[in-house]
């Protein structure tokens, strides 16, 4: 559903066998999903602000690159854009590809 809502306005979620003899099906709108996800997204910004402050770096002094599947969620992109004073995240890589490259670089430092 997350992937469908990143590109469309609604997605159908089906859970077969939620309880014995009971299947569950619901259609979720992007707005509902974003309202629900807000409680997970907004708290992410506080530690970022702390790290920037601790490193003596301002929000305008960094380039933002979002990685992973969550980077496709419009609400995530909007939250980071607002946090960084309207500057959008860079889109130089596919989010999943960037995560793999970062893991490879980290693995190389462990060798």
């Amino acid at each position: 559903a997350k992937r469908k809502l990143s590109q469309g306005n609604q997605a159908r979620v089906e859970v077969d066998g939620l309880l014995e003899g009971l299947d569950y099906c619901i259609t979720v709108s992007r707005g509902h999903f974003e309202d629900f996800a807000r409680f997970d997204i907004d708290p992410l910004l506080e530690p970022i602000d702390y790290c920037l402050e601790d490193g003596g770096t301002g929000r305008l002094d960094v380039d933002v690159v979002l990685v992973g599947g969550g980077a496709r969620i419009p609400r995530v992109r909007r939250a980071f854009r607002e946090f960084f004073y309207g500057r959008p995240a860079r889109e130089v890589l596919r989010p999943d590809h960037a995560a793999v490259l970062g893991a490879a670089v980290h693995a190389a430092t462990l060798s």
Side-chain angles (χ1 to χ4, degrees), residues 62-79:
V62 296
D63 286 328
V64 179
V65 178
L66 300 175
V67 299
R72 293 184 187 94
I73 300 172
R75 175 69 177 101
V76 170
R77 300 181 72 74
R78 188 169 51 252

Side-chain angles (χ1 to χ4, degrees), residues 6-73:
S6 294
Q7 298 171 354
N9 291 324
Q10 63 181 13
R12 184 176 173 97
V13 178
E14 298 179 19
V15 181
D16 295 332
L18 179 63
L19 296 172
E20 188 175 324
L22 179 67
D23 296 336
Y24 184 74
C25 179
I26 187 171
T27 299
V28 179
S29 70
R30 179 188 286 180
H32 181 80
F33 176 76
E34 288 184 355
D35 286 344
F36 183 73
R38 176 177 47 102
F39 297 107
D40 292 324
I41 297 168
D42 291 346
L44 297 175
L45 302 175
E46 186 176 333
I48 294 170
D49 197 31
Y50 175 77
C51 289
L52 291 172
E53 184 178 314
D54 194 45
T57 304
R59 293 181 191 181
L60 294 174
D61 299 328
V62 296
D63 286 328
V64 179
V65 178
L66 300 175
V67 299
R72 293 184 187 94
I73 300 172

